[in-house]
Amino acid sequence: MHFVTAKGILSAKNGMNLYRGCSHGCIYCDSRSRCYHMEHAFEDIEVKENAIELLENVLTHKRKKCMIGTGSMTDPYLPLETELKMVRKALHLIADHGFGFTVITKSDRILRDLDLLQKINNRSKCVVQMTLTTYDEDLCRKIEPNVCTTKERFMALKQLHDAGIPTVVWLSPILPFINDTEENIRGILNLCAKAKVQGVICFGMGLTLREGNREYFYEQLDRLSPGLKEKYIRTYGSQYAVNSPNNRRLMQIFHQFCEKNRILHNNDQIFQYLQTYEEKETAKQLSIWDMIL
Protein backbone atom coordinates (compact mmCIF):
# COMPACT_ATOMS: atom_id res chain seq x y z
CA MET A 1 0.00 0.00 0.00
CA HIS A 2 1.19 3.50 -0.80
CA PHE A 3 -0.40 6.96 -0.74
CA VAL A 4 -0.69 9.57 -3.49
CA THR A 5 -2.23 13.02 -3.74
CA ALA A 6 -4.88 13.04 -6.45
CA LYS A 7 -5.82 16.02 -8.62
CA GLY A 8 -9.42 14.95 -9.09
CA ILE A 9 -11.84 12.28 -7.91
CA LEU A 10 -14.86 12.07 -10.26
CA SER A 11 -14.74 11.16 -13.94
CA ALA A 12 -16.90 12.83 -16.58
CA LYS A 13 -19.51 10.12 -15.92
CA ASN A 14 -19.33 10.59 -12.13
CA GLY A 15 -17.29 7.47 -11.45
CA MET A 16 -14.62 7.42 -8.77
CA ASN A 17 -11.76 5.17 -7.73
CA LEU A 18 -10.56 5.62 -4.18
CA TYR A 19 -7.92 2.95 -4.74
CA ARG A 20 -5.88 1.68 -7.70
CA GLY A 21 -4.70 -1.91 -7.87
CA CYS A 22 -6.22 -4.95 -6.22
CA SER A 23 -5.36 -7.85 -3.93
CA HIS A 24 -8.23 -10.19 -4.87
CA GLY A 25 -5.96 -12.16 -7.20
CA CYS A 26 -8.60 -12.97 -9.85
CA ILE A 27 -6.70 -14.69 -12.65
CA TYR A 28 -8.56 -12.90 -15.47
CA CYS A 29 -8.54 -9.27 -14.25
CA ASP A 30 -8.67 -6.77 -17.13
CA SER A 31 -7.49 -3.96 -14.85
CA ARG A 32 -3.98 -5.43 -15.11
CA SER A 33 -3.90 -4.35 -18.77
CA ARG A 34 -1.06 -1.98 -19.60
CA CYS A 35 -3.39 0.42 -21.39
CA TYR A 36 -4.46 1.71 -17.95
CA HIS A 37 -0.91 2.94 -17.28
CA MET A 38 -0.62 1.69 -13.72
CA GLU A 39 2.94 2.59 -12.79
CA HIS A 40 3.17 0.40 -9.69
CA ALA A 41 2.82 -3.27 -8.84
CA PHE A 42 -0.82 -4.28 -9.14
CA GLU A 43 -0.98 -5.69 -5.61
CA ASP A 44 0.67 -2.56 -4.15
CA ILE A 45 -2.59 -0.68 -3.66
CA GLU A 46 -2.49 3.02 -4.43
CA VAL A 47 -4.58 5.04 -1.96
CA LYS A 48 -5.76 8.54 -2.88
CA GLU A 49 -5.14 10.15 0.47
CA ASN A 50 -7.08 13.34 -0.33
CA ALA A 51 -10.01 11.59 -2.05
CA ILE A 52 -12.57 12.40 0.65
CA GLU A 53 -11.71 16.10 0.66
CA LEU A 54 -11.94 16.18 -3.14
CA LEU A 55 -15.27 14.38 -3.09
CA GLU A 56 -16.76 16.71 -0.49
CA ASN A 57 -15.76 19.72 -2.56
CA VAL A 58 -17.26 18.26 -5.76
CA LEU A 59 -20.54 17.22 -4.15
CA THR A 60 -20.91 20.60 -2.43
CA HIS A 61 -20.60 22.49 -5.72
CA LYS A 62 -22.44 20.14 -8.09
CA ARG A 63 -25.53 21.90 -9.43
CA LYS A 64 -27.43 18.75 -10.29
CA LYS A 65 -27.79 15.54 -8.29
CA CYS A 66 -26.65 12.32 -9.98
CA MET A 67 -25.58 8.74 -9.37
CA ILE A 68 -22.03 8.39 -8.03
CA GLY A 69 -20.40 5.11 -9.06
CA THR A 70 -17.33 3.16 -8.00
CA GLY A 71 -15.76 -0.23 -8.58
CA SER A 72 -15.37 -0.31 -12.36
CA MET A 73 -11.57 -0.42 -12.20
CA THR A 74 -10.81 -1.46 -8.62
CA ASP A 75 -13.04 -3.27 -6.16
CA PRO A 76 -13.40 -0.71 -3.37
CA TYR A 77 -14.03 -3.36 -0.71
CA LEU A 78 -10.45 -4.56 -0.46
CA PRO A 79 -9.08 -5.89 2.85
CA LEU A 80 -7.39 -2.53 3.52
CA GLU A 81 -10.81 -0.82 3.40
CA THR A 82 -11.50 -2.43 6.78
CA GLU A 83 -8.73 -0.26 8.21
CA LEU A 84 -8.88 2.90 6.08
CA LYS A 85 -12.69 3.15 5.71
CA MET A 86 -12.38 5.37 2.63
CA VAL A 87 -15.56 3.95 1.10
CA ARG A 88 -17.50 4.46 4.31
CA LYS A 89 -16.37 8.08 4.52
CA ALA A 90 -17.40 8.61 0.89
CA LEU A 91 -20.80 7.04 1.57
CA HIS A 92 -21.37 9.44 4.46
CA LEU A 93 -20.80 12.37 2.09
CA ILE A 94 -22.98 10.92 -0.66
CA ALA A 95 -25.80 10.31 1.80
CA ASP A 96 -25.52 13.74 3.44
CA HIS A 97 -25.53 15.56 0.08
CA GLY A 98 -28.47 13.56 -1.29
CA PHE A 99 -26.75 11.86 -4.23
CA GLY A 100 -27.42 8.36 -5.53
CA PHE A 101 -24.84 5.59 -5.42
CA THR A 102 -23.91 2.40 -7.21
CA VAL A 103 -20.95 0.08 -6.65
CA ILE A 104 -19.45 -3.00 -8.29
CA THR A 105 -17.84 -5.48 -5.90
CA LYS A 106 -17.06 -9.13 -5.28
CA SER A 107 -16.86 -8.72 -1.53
CA ASP A 108 -19.38 -9.26 1.24
CA ARG A 109 -17.49 -6.58 3.18
CA ILE A 110 -20.07 -4.25 1.69
CA LEU A 111 -22.50 -5.43 4.37
CA ARG A 112 -20.53 -3.39 6.89
CA ASP A 113 -21.99 -0.29 5.24
CA LEU A 114 -25.57 -1.50 5.01
CA ASP A 115 -26.77 1.35 7.22
CA LEU A 116 -25.39 3.99 4.85
CA LEU A 117 -26.57 2.15 1.73
CA GLN A 118 -30.09 2.17 3.19
CA LYS A 119 -29.80 5.85 4.09
CA ILE A 120 -28.89 6.68 0.50
CA ASN A 121 -31.59 4.43 -0.90
CA ASN A 122 -34.26 5.97 1.34
CA ARG A 123 -33.55 9.39 -0.10
CA SER A 124 -32.51 8.65 -3.67
CA LYS A 125 -31.28 5.35 -5.15
CA CYS A 126 -28.57 2.89 -4.18
CA VAL A 127 -27.79 -0.16 -6.32
CA VAL A 128 -25.22 -2.81 -5.47
CA GLN A 129 -23.67 -4.69 -8.39
CA MET A 130 -22.06 -8.02 -7.57
CA THR A 131 -19.87 -10.09 -9.89
CA LEU A 132 -20.57 -13.83 -10.09
CA THR A 133 -18.55 -16.07 -12.37
CA THR A 134 -18.32 -19.55 -10.92
CA TYR A 135 -20.97 -21.69 -9.24
CA ASP A 136 -18.51 -24.35 -8.07
CA GLU A 137 -16.96 -23.19 -4.80
CA ASP A 138 -13.66 -25.02 -5.24
CA LEU A 139 -13.15 -23.59 -8.72
CA CYS A 140 -14.12 -20.15 -7.45
CA ARG A 141 -11.36 -20.31 -4.83
CA LYS A 142 -8.85 -21.10 -7.58
CA ILE A 143 -9.73 -18.38 -10.08
CA GLU A 144 -10.74 -15.73 -7.50
CA PRO A 145 -8.48 -16.77 -4.61
CA ASN A 146 -8.42 -13.81 -2.23
CA VAL A 147 -12.07 -12.77 -2.13
CA CYS A 148 -15.23 -14.31 -0.72
CA THR A 149 -16.74 -17.18 -2.67
CA THR A 150 -19.87 -17.22 -4.81
CA LYS A 151 -21.94 -18.68 -1.98
CA GLU A 152 -20.89 -15.85 0.33
CA ARG A 153 -21.68 -13.27 -2.35
CA PHE A 154 -25.08 -14.89 -2.84
CA MET A 155 -25.79 -14.56 0.87
CA ALA A 156 -24.78 -10.90 0.69
CA LEU A 157 -27.14 -10.35 -2.25
CA LYS A 158 -30.00 -11.88 -0.27
CA GLN A 159 -29.26 -9.71 2.74
CA LEU A 160 -29.10 -6.59 0.58
CA HIS A 161 -32.45 -7.43 -1.00
CA ASP A 162 -34.01 -8.06 2.39
CA ALA A 163 -32.76 -4.62 3.44
CA GLY A 164 -34.49 -3.02 0.44
CA ILE A 165 -31.32 -2.43 -1.63
CA PRO A 166 -31.77 -3.29 -5.33
CA THR A 167 -29.05 -5.51 -6.79
CA VAL A 168 -27.60 -6.32 -10.21
CA VAL A 169 -25.26 -9.20 -11.07
CA TRP A 170 -22.42 -9.16 -13.58
CA LEU A 171 -22.19 -12.60 -15.19
CA SER A 172 -18.65 -12.03 -16.36
CA PRO A 173 -16.18 -13.23 -17.32
CA ILE A 174 -16.90 -16.79 -18.39
CA LEU A 175 -13.62 -18.56 -19.14
CA PRO A 176 -13.53 -20.91 -22.15
CA PHE A 177 -12.74 -24.55 -21.23
CA ILE A 178 -12.98 -23.65 -17.51
CA ASN A 179 -16.44 -22.48 -16.46
CA ASP A 180 -18.29 -22.16 -19.79
CA THR A 181 -20.71 -24.98 -19.03
CA GLU A 182 -24.47 -25.17 -18.84
CA GLU A 183 -24.20 -26.41 -15.25
CA ASN A 184 -22.22 -23.33 -14.24
CA ILE A 185 -24.49 -20.83 -15.98
CA ARG A 186 -27.68 -22.40 -14.65
CA GLY A 187 -26.18 -22.62 -11.17
CA ILE A 188 -25.36 -18.90 -11.11
CA LEU A 189 -28.71 -17.91 -12.61
CA ASN A 190 -30.58 -19.96 -10.02
CA LEU A 191 -28.72 -18.03 -7.32
CA CYS A 192 -29.71 -14.77 -9.02
CA ALA A 193 -33.36 -15.78 -9.00
CA LYS A 194 -33.23 -16.84 -5.34
CA ALA A 195 -31.55 -13.55 -4.42
CA LYS A 196 -34.23 -11.64 -6.39
CA VAL A 197 -31.77 -9.51 -8.31
CA GLN A 198 -33.14 -6.73 -10.52
CA GLY A 199 -31.01 -7.63 -13.52
CA VAL A 200 -28.04 -9.57 -14.86
CA ILE A 201 -25.43 -7.94 -17.11
CA CYS A 202 -23.79 -10.25 -19.61
CA PHE A 203 -21.85 -9.26 -22.73
CA GLY A 204 -21.34 -12.84 -23.88
CA MET A 205 -19.76 -16.02 -22.64
CA GLY A 206 -16.06 -15.30 -22.77
CA LEU A 207 -13.42 -12.82 -21.63
CA THR A 208 -11.07 -10.19 -22.99
CA LEU A 209 -7.29 -10.51 -23.11
CA ARG A 210 -4.82 -7.79 -23.90
CA GLU A 211 -1.25 -6.88 -23.06
CA GLY A 212 -0.74 -7.08 -19.34
CA ASN A 213 -3.69 -9.20 -18.28
CA ARG A 214 -3.04 -11.81 -21.00
CA GLU A 215 0.41 -12.64 -19.64
CA TYR A 216 -0.84 -12.88 -16.05
CA PHE A 217 -3.79 -15.05 -17.09
CA TYR A 218 -1.52 -17.46 -18.95
CA GLU A 219 0.87 -17.66 -15.98
CA GLN A 220 -2.05 -18.66 -13.79
CA LEU A 221 -3.27 -21.24 -16.32
CA ASP A 222 0.19 -22.83 -16.30
CA ARG A 223 -0.02 -23.03 -12.52
CA LEU A 224 -3.60 -24.29 -12.27
CA SER A 225 -4.00 -26.37 -15.42
CA PRO A 226 -0.79 -27.14 -17.35
CA GLY A 227 -1.43 -27.36 -21.08
CA LEU A 228 -4.51 -25.13 -21.08
CA LYS A 229 -2.51 -22.06 -22.09
CA GLU A 230 -1.42 -23.82 -25.27
CA LYS A 231 -5.06 -24.68 -26.03
CA TYR A 232 -5.98 -21.00 -25.69
CA ILE A 233 -3.14 -19.97 -28.01
CA ARG A 234 -4.12 -22.58 -30.62
CA THR A 235 -7.77 -21.59 -30.46
CA TYR A 236 -7.60 -17.81 -30.14
CA GLY A 237 -4.12 -16.65 -31.08
CA SER A 238 -3.77 -13.03 -29.97
CA GLN A 239 -7.50 -12.15 -30.17
CA TYR A 240 -8.80 -9.48 -27.82
CA ALA A 241 -12.28 -10.99 -27.50
CA VAL A 242 -12.04 -14.63 -26.44
CA ASN A 243 -15.50 -16.15 -26.84
CA SER A 244 -16.49 -19.58 -25.61
CA PRO A 245 -17.23 -22.22 -28.26
CA ASN A 246 -20.48 -22.65 -26.29
CA ASN A 247 -21.35 -18.95 -26.44
CA ARG A 248 -24.46 -19.21 -28.61
CA ARG A 249 -26.10 -22.00 -26.62
CA LEU A 250 -25.20 -20.52 -23.24
CA MET A 251 -26.49 -17.07 -24.21
CA GLN A 252 -29.76 -18.65 -25.28
CA ILE A 253 -30.03 -20.34 -21.88
CA PHE A 254 -29.20 -17.04 -20.19
CA HIS A 255 -31.86 -15.00 -21.98
CA GLN A 256 -34.54 -17.67 -21.68
CA PHE A 257 -33.93 -18.09 -17.94
CA CYS A 258 -34.01 -14.35 -17.26
CA GLU A 259 -37.17 -13.92 -19.33
CA LYS A 260 -38.91 -16.74 -17.50
CA ASN A 261 -37.89 -15.42 -14.08
CA ARG A 262 -38.58 -11.76 -14.89
CA ILE A 263 -34.98 -10.69 -14.45
CA LEU A 264 -33.90 -7.74 -16.56
CA HIS A 265 -31.28 -8.93 -19.09
CA ASN A 266 -31.01 -6.13 -21.61
CA ASN A 267 -27.64 -4.47 -20.92
CA ASP A 268 -28.69 -1.06 -22.24
CA GLN A 269 -31.79 -0.99 -20.05
CA ILE A 270 -29.81 -2.02 -16.98
CA PHE A 271 -27.16 0.66 -17.55
CA GLN A 272 -29.86 3.27 -18.04
CA TYR A 273 -31.35 2.20 -14.71
CA LEU A 274 -27.95 2.37 -13.00
CA GLN A 275 -27.19 5.83 -14.37
CA THR A 276 -30.58 7.43 -13.69
CA TYR A 277 -30.76 9.45 -10.50
CA GLU A 278 -34.02 9.20 -8.59
CA GLU A 279 -35.28 11.21 -5.67
CA LYS A 280 -37.82 9.55 -3.43
CA GLU A 281 -41.06 11.38 -2.72
CA THR A 282 -40.42 11.25 1.02
CA ALA A 283 -37.11 13.01 0.46
CA LYS A 284 -38.84 15.76 -1.53
CA GLN A 285 -41.35 16.22 1.25
CA LEU A 286 -38.57 16.34 3.80
CA SER A 287 -36.77 19.00 1.80
CA ILE A 288 -39.89 21.18 1.69
CA TRP A 289 -40.41 20.72 5.44
CA ASP A 290 -36.79 21.68 6.08
CA MET A 291 -37.32 24.85 4.06
CA ILE A 292 -40.41 25.74 6.13
CA LEU A 293 -38.50 25.19 9.35
Side-chain angles (χ1 to χ4, degrees), residues 20-46:
R20 291 193 78 203
C22 190
S23 56
H24 286 344
C26 304
I27 69 172
Y28 50 73
C29 183
D30 175 71
S31 294
R32 292 181 181 272
S33 300
R34 290 180 187 163
C35 63
Y36 300 122
H37 305 292
M38 198 171 294
E39 304 300 331
H40 56 87
F42 193 69
E43 288 77 13
D44 178 19
I45 312 302
E46 180 180 285

Side-chain angles (χ1 to χ4, degrees), residues 264-276:
L264 192 61
H265 54 106
N266 180 296
N267 292 339
D268 291 338
Q269 291 178 355
I270 298 174
F271 283 122
Q272 183 178 6
Y273 168 70
L274 293 171
Q275 294 163 6
T276 302

Side-chain angles (χ1 to χ4, degrees), residues 9 25 30 65 74 88 102 116 122 129 135 154 156 169 177 206 216 221 235 260:
I9 191 60
D30 175 71
K65 296 289 194 297
T74 296
R88 187 162 180 84
T102 185
L116 291 174
N122 288 339
Q129 305 170 60
Y135 182 69
F154 162 67
V169 161
F177 318 123
Y216 184 81
L221 289 189
T235 306
K260 180 179 179 181

Side-chain angles (χ1 to χ4, degrees), residues 34-196:
R34 290 180 187 163
C35 63
Y36 300 122
H37 305 292
M38 198 171 294
E39 304 300 331
H40 56 87
F42 193 69
E43 288 77 13
D44 178 19
I45 312 302
E46 180 180 285
V47 181
K48 298 177 181 179
E49 60 184 354
N50 61 331
I52 302 305
E53 291 79 7
L54 290 172
L55 181 62
E56 183 171 21
N57 183 60
V58 170
L59 297 184
T60 300
H61 293 93
K62 258 189 178 295
R63 295 182 178 180
K64 189 176 181 180
K65 296 289 194 297
C66 63
M67 296 293 290
I68 305 296
T70 191
S72 60
M73 280 294 296
T74 296
D75 192 324
Y77 284 99
L78 299 169
L80 57 76
E81 167 61 20
T82 304
E83 173 190 350
L84 298 181
K85 299 181 180 178
M86 297 281 282
V87 179
R88 187 162 180 84
K89 294 172 186 176
L91 288 174
H92 271 293
L93 289 176
I94 293 167
D96 291 345
H97 287 272
F99 284 76
F101 179 70
T102 185
V103 57
I104 306 172
T105 184
K106 289 189 180 85
S107 177
D108 59 1
R109 289 189 186 91
I110 193 171
L111 295 175
R112 178 203 64 183
D113 295 330
L114 189 56
D115 58 331
L116 291 174
L117 301 178
Q118 287 178 303
K119 184 177 180 180
I120 294 170
N121 198 53
N122 288 339
R123 186 170 181 179
S124 56
K125 183 169 71 178
C126 178
V127 186
V128 173
Q129 305 170 60
M130 189 81 73
T131 302
L132 301 180
T133 66
T134 310
Y135 182 69
D136 181 271
E137 291 286 281
D138 290 335
L139 181 58
C140 179
R141 290 186 182 94
K142 292 178 181 178
I143 68 175
E144 299 165 343
N146 303 324
V147 67
C148 66
T149 65
T150 298
K151 183 178 180 181
E152 292 166 321
R153 289 175 229 173
F154 162 67
M155 297 302 294
L157 286 167
K158 284 186 65 178
Q159 191 167 337
L160 288 161
H161 176 269
D162 291 344
I165 307 297
T167 57
V168 167
V169 161
W170 283 74
L171 182 58
S172 172
I174 300 300
L175 312 179
F177 318 123
I178 298 175
N179 62 350
D180 59 335
T181 65
E182 181 174 340
E183 179 184 12
N184 184 53
I185 301 306
R186 288 195 183 277
I188 293 172
L189 291 174
N190 280 324
L191 294 180
C192 291
K194 291 177 181 177
K196 299 180 181 178

